[in-house]
Amino acid sequence: MTTRPWTTDRSARSAFVLPRGLRGRLAARVMLRMNRQDEVARLLDVQPGERVLEIGYGPGGLIRRLSGSAAGRVCGVDPSPEMREMARAHAANADLRLGTAEDTGFGDAEFDCAVTVNTVGLWPCLERGLDELRRVVRPGGRVVIAWHGGRRPPRLTRRFRLPDDQLRRIEDGLRARFGNVVRRELSDVTAFAAGGRQGLRARPP
Ligand SMILES: C[S@@+](CC[C@H](N)C(=O)[O-])C[C@H]1O[C@@H](n2cnc3c(N)ncnc32)[C@H](O)[C@@H]1O
């Protein structure tokens, strides 16, 4: 299976883009080890009872943390059946579905916040994904989008960093749909936090 991300003019078939079969499971183990999700979870700052959606949960590193938080409901979408199976093993009570950023299958304003880590650069169309986030997150809700980069990107993922014009497109797209946006350079991801009642509610971790 291939996809053509908006960040490149080439089709992508890497096991990290659409993890399927044995190669996908092996890639997922690397993701679980490398993609530390604590800083992103702190930036999202889930409050008691909140309804949270993760886009592209992969093997479930962040889903596991969200399930152990005070969230009232934890949901996720990912196009890979293998990833759903792996993520479920970490968080049996989360509502994990097959879906994509551009078509989550959830209802209007169903979530207080949404988050995605290392998937935005893989979406076929950035604007369709952002429109879908705007639709499923309630007015006044917030969104965190994180992608490879940050202050100390590991050598293995350094080449996935996005050029400034593409980072600006993400930031501008979020601002147009959610109002205020803050950009944070975390350890190994660049993160954009948007929306929220006070706009800049997301504090530096
Ligand atoms: C590099 S992995 C990151 C997984 C996880 N977020 C993490 O940080 O460990 C990319 C994930 O994005 C998913 N993905 C690919 N295309 C997607 C899309 N259009 N919408 C949502 N998720 C997508 C893949 O199936 C894969 O699980």
Side-chain angles (χ1 to χ4, degrees), residues 3 5 14-20 27-28 30-37 54-63 77-81 83-84 99-104 115-125 129 146-148 160 189:
T3 183
S14 151
F16 290 91
V17 176
L18 285 174
R20 307 300 292 265
V30 176
M31 288 178 221
L32 271 181
R33 235 198 0 254
M34 292 205 61
N35 303 349
R36 297 192 311 272
Q37 314 275 0
E54 183 182 4
I55 305 280
Y57 45 75
L62 182 54
I63 281 289
V77 289
D78 194 293
S80 163
M83 293 304 98
R84 182 164 69 157
T100 61
E102 43 298 351
D103 183 10
T104 64
V115 60
T116 190
V117 182
N118 295 339
T119 81
V120 65
L122 313 176
W123 301 352
C125 175
W147 179 258
H148 300 289
F160 300 130
V189 290

Side-chain angles (χ1 to χ4, degrees), residues 82-140:
E82 285 87 346
M83 293 304 98
R84 182 164 69 157
E85 201 182 301
M86 286 185 78
R88 268 189 177 155
H90 297 300
N93 55 352
D95 178 357
L96 302 180
R97 303 185 187 179
L98 296 179
T100 61
E102 43 298 351
D103 183 10
T104 64
F106 286 99
D108 293 354
E110 217 174 310
F111 297 98
D112 299 295
C113 53
V115 60
T116 190
V117 182
N118 295 339
T119 81
V120 65
L122 313 176
W123 301 352
C125 175
L126 174 65
E127 281 69 28
R128 287 219 324 269
L130 293 177
D131 283 346
E132 179 70 351
L133 282 174
R134 176 62 282 184
R135 187 184 70 75
V136 298
V137 172
R138 68 166 170 80

